[in-house]
Amino acid sequence: MEQVITQPLEWIHNICDQFTEITDWPLRFTPAKPGERKSLEAELCQSEKYCWCESIEDGKRTLGYLYLTLPDESANDHLFVTAIKFAELVGGLISQIETMNSSLESKTREVTTLVDVGLSATRQEGLQDALQKLLEAALQLTGFRAAGFFLLNSESNQLSLRVQYGLTAFEIPFHRRKLNESPPDLEAFAKDALIINRQENPAFSGWLPEGCLTGVCVSVQSESGPFGTLWAFDRRARHLKDRDIHILKSIGAQVSTILERAVLLRESQNQIRLKKELKVISESFPAELAQESHRERDFQAAVQTISHHEVGGDLCEFITLAPNITCFALGDASGDSIPAAVVMASVRGALRTLTEGPIEQAKDTRFVIGRINTALYHTSLPHQFMSMMYGVIDTKNRTFTYTNAGHPAPFWVHKGKITSLTSHGMLLGVTESNDYDYSVIPICTNDIIVGFSDGISEAMSSERKMFRSDGIMKVLENHIEDTAEEVMQGIWAKLQKHLEGGNDGDDRTLMVLKFARNAD
């Protein structure tokens, strides 16, 4: 069926008038009206009053015909060959211009339709309606007769038909497709698009609806992974152009956007609920050490800890075992947020259980670390572990006993000299059993121990430089005579200055002990 010519062609008549004025050879243009093209062509070719004619095309259809008649003045007859060649040149240029205009109009319509459909689909309240509108647009732009979208369930590795247009669900074969059965969709995921022709690909013909000779499958995916596949079907044996595949991919991209938006909207309520639950959980893990500031003791303790998320995996716990004996644990669970908090909570519970037993057991740092290691190994996933230092302060015998399981080595200020404490073994939870060692150091009045998590030493500035343990040591050198609180504040202030403009998003814990009585 011929299409009605709607574009303005007046400019061609103007060109013909200029040609006639310059050459004195009458050049005319007659548009090809619907249903009259063949009769017009026959008349121009057979009539003796026309000496030349040529069709004007726009790449898709015949727009009309250029034709020359003999000039009124016979003196111009000798220019016949020149006039014909000139007319052929003009006709060729007109056809090229109209072809370019037609291509530009087609692409403009495609882009406009895609944008309009995208905006309209985004405003749709129902996901089903939005997807249906996109399938309808795919058919309008490509000329296919039917389309369907298959959604991928990553848990079952199965594709299921969720929406179709132009056919009923029962007319599209294999509503549910398991990926392990190697459907054509699997090839589309690898190649972005798969074209099936019933005659050329008989092995895949069963995947086409009855009566359809051509099918194309494009993958629908986002940066996070595949969502499913978009199928288009046609009863004709079509040889697809790159344009058709490009349009279907564009529609697939919009389907992906719609699905991502739907997932985000669906998850919003879960996020609100999760925030409330995290708030409750965070109250069980106070951000600051519960100081026993009113108890009289022979050492000072200052702690600062922050979590990048509502909860984190850093641990700093002080437990009084006897009037002169206090134990503490300083640790850092792998990962961040809830997974790290779960590991930390497990270790914290095991620590409390072990320190409530016989005091000699709680004072044995090797025993405590070893038991916590075994417990964590059996209760955590293979990729979950924790660094930890467990120490016992005996102010009567003036000793500090500790076992360090893979935690950053603390600094010890002893008689004005700064050294690093020893590490005794690998992280907790890596192996079922591990022989940890221990160390005992003497403590004198005004000695200082500074412990920290790797969120302190590895804190990254905006210039991608780490704070390192050197940053802690430089502060210590100038604060040896200060209280534990003043030392802690000095280090923390230098850390904050280092972090100006940067944020590496890690949990951070800083602990300072000074073996001197509290000022009060």
Side-chain angles (χ1 to χ4, degrees):
M1 182 177 178
E2 296 188 39
Q3 299 182 19
V4 178
I5 307 299
T6 58
Q7 69 269 36
L9 300 174
E10 188 63 32
W11 74 276
I12 301 180
H13 293 291
N14 293 334
I15 292 293
C16 291
D17 291 342
Q18 293 179 46
F19 180 97
T20 302
E21 184 180 348
I22 294 171
T23 64
D24 287 330
W25 279 74
L27 179 67
R28 298 290 181 261
F29 172 73
T30 299
K33 296 180 181 179
E36 299 180 3
R37 184 179 63 83
K38 290 184 178 179
S39 59
L40 176 61
E41 183 177 357
E43 179 186 351
L44 293 173
C45 293
Q46 297 173 9
S47 176
E48 294 181 356
K49 61 180 179 180
Y50 306 119
C51 59
W52 172 88
C53 72
E54 182 173 292
S55 63
I56 299 298
E57 313 283 339
D58 69 352
K60 296 180 181 178
R61 58 185 178 269
T62 300
L63 301 179
Y65 293 88
L66 282 181
Y67 53 91
L68 278 174
T69 57
L70 292 173
D72 295 334
E73 298 292 334
S74 60
N76 291 326
D77 290 353
H78 70 284
L79 297 174
F80 176 77
V81 174
T82 303
I84 295 293
K85 290 183 178 180
F86 191 15
E88 287 176 347
L89 175 62
V90 170
L93 290 174
I94 292 175
S95 289
Q96 287 184 30
I97 291 172
E98 285 300 326
T99 299
M100 292 169 58
N101 286 338
S102 175
S103 176
L104 181 59
E105 288 175 4
S106 176
K107 290 180 180 179
T108 301
R109 285 195 300 271
E110 289 174 10
V111 172
T112 302
T113 302
L114 286 171
V115 171
D116 290 344
V117 167
L119 292 174
S120 176
T122 302
R123 291 192 294 267
Q124 293 280 346
E125 293 184 2
L127 178 61
Q128 192 82 1
D129 291 340
L131 294 177
Q132 198 120 29
K133 195 164 186 66
L134 287 172
L135 295 188
E136 182 183 2
L139 302 188
Q140 290 176 353
L141 292 168
T142 60
F144 277 90
R145 302 299 175 88
F149 171 67
F150 287 79
L151 182 66
L152 174 64
N153 185 326
S154 57
E155 294 182 359
S156 62
N157 284 327
Q158 180 175 275
L159 288 158
S160 302
L161 180 65
R162 287 306 176 92
V163 62
Q164 70 284 334
Y165 192 88
L167 289 173
T168 66
F170 298 103
E171 292 177 288
I172 299 178
F174 304 108
H175 295 175
R176 292 178 176 83
R177 309 172 175 193
K178 293 186 177 180
L179 294 184
N180 57 14
E181 296 175 354
S182 298
D185 311 69
L186 200 60
E187 191 169 338
F189 285 141
K191 297 181 178 179
D192 288 338
L194 174 68
I195 301 171
I196 298 176
N197 185 292
R198 189 180 289 275
Q199 297 173 342
E200 297 176 3
N201 310 101
F204 282 155
S205 61
W207 298 90
L208 299 178
E210 186 176 352
C212 289
L213 296 180
T214 307
V216 57
C217 175
V218 299
S219 63
V220 176
Q221 52 190 336
S222 65
E223 293 181 358
S224 57
F227 274 118
T229 53
L230 174 66
W231 280 82
F233 308 104
D234 205 312
R235 297 185 183 279
R236 299 166 293 175
R238 294 183 53 170
H239 295 284
L240 298 181
K241 300 178 181 178
D242 291 341
R243 164 191 170 276
D244 299 315
I245 301 298
H246 177 73
I247 288 175
L248 290 175
K249 286 182 178 181
S250 298
I251 295 293
Q254 294 204 41
V255 170
S256 173
T257 300
I258 293 291
L259 292 175
E260 284 184 318
R261 185 174 67 92
V263 170
L264 289 174
L265 289 174
R266 189 175 298 174
E267 289 181 348
S268 61
Q269 291 300 320
N270 291 335
Q271 291 174 349
I272 293 172
R273 176 183 56 79
L274 183 60
K275 266 194 169 182
K276 291 179 179 178
E277 293 177 357
L278 284 174
K279 185 177 180 181
V280 174
I281 294 173
S282 65
E283 293 172 355
S284 302
F285 301 103
E288 295 185 1
L289 173 68
Q291 298 274 5
E292 300 177 22
S293 56
H294 299 295
R295 286 181 59 102
E296 197 171 315
R297 59 189 181 194
D298 293 331
F299 69 93
Q300 303 167 5
V303 174
Q304 179 72 45
T305 181
I306 60 170
S307 297
H308 180 62
H309 301 282
E310 287 84 352
V311 292
D314 281 6
L315 169 67
C316 188
E317 193 89 359
F318 281 72
I319 303 171
T320 300
L321 302 177
N324 299 309
I325 300 176
T326 302
C327 69
F328 75 87
L330 182 64
D332 182 6
S334 61
D336 56 14
S337 192
I338 297 176
V342 170
V343 174
M344 186 271 285
S346 300
V347 171
R348 189 184 187 204
L351 175 68
R352 283 288 178 176
T353 300
L354 290 169
T355 54
E356 288 176 3
I359 190 170
E360 291 304 318
Q361 223 174 237
K363 289 170 59 179
D364 187 343
T365 59
R366 295 177 58 188
F367 171 80
V368 172
I369 284 289
R371 291 295 295 273
I372 292 176
N373 173 72
T374 302
L376 186 60
Y377 177 82
H378 287 289
T379 58
S380 64
L381 297 173
H383 65 276
Q384 293 178 319
F385 44 83
M386 185 166 184
S387 68
M388 179 172 160
M389 186 180 84
Y390 176 68
V392 177
I393 302 168
D394 186 338
T395 55
K396 182 178 180 180
N397 295 315
R398 311 293 287 175
T399 59
F400 173 60
T401 306
Y402 69 96
T403 295
N404 186 349
H407 197 74
F411 286 114
W412 175 33
V413 181
H414 181 61
K415 297 182 179 180
K417 182 180 179 182
I418 304 173
T419 57
S420 295
L421 296 182
T422 305
S423 184
H424 300 107
M426 68 174 61
L427 302 165
L428 301 178
V430 177
T431 60
E432 183 176 7
S433 60
N434 194 15
D435 293 329
Y436 290 97
D437 205 349
Y438 72 100
S439 296
V440 181
I441 61 173
I443 52 176
C444 300
T445 301
N446 292 327
D447 278 8
I448 298 174
I449 292 178
V450 178
F452 50 91
S453 64
D454 59 13
I456 300 289
S457 56
E458 296 178 4
M460 197 75 69
S461 70
S462 59
E463 298 176 350
R464 309 300 297 169
K465 292 182 179 179
M466 290 194 293
F467 188 59
R468 300 187 183 278
S469 54
D470 296 345
I472 300 173
M473 186 175 290
K474 288 177 181 177
V475 177
L476 269 180
E477 291 172 350
N478 299 318
H479 290 78
I480 289 178
E481 303 299 327
D482 292 344
T483 66
E485 182 68 24
E486 290 169 340
V487 173
M488 189 272 292
Q489 292 294 345
I491 297 173
W492 199 262
K494 187 173 182 63
L495 173 67
Q496 295 306 308
K497 186 175 182 180
H498 173 80
L499 284 171
E500 285 180 359
N503 182 15
D504 52 6
D506 200 0
D507 301 333
R508 298 188 179 92
T509 298
L510 177 65
M511 179 200 73
V512 178
L513 304 179
K514 184 158 188 175
F515 296 99
R517 288 186 176 274
N518 287 318
D520 56 359

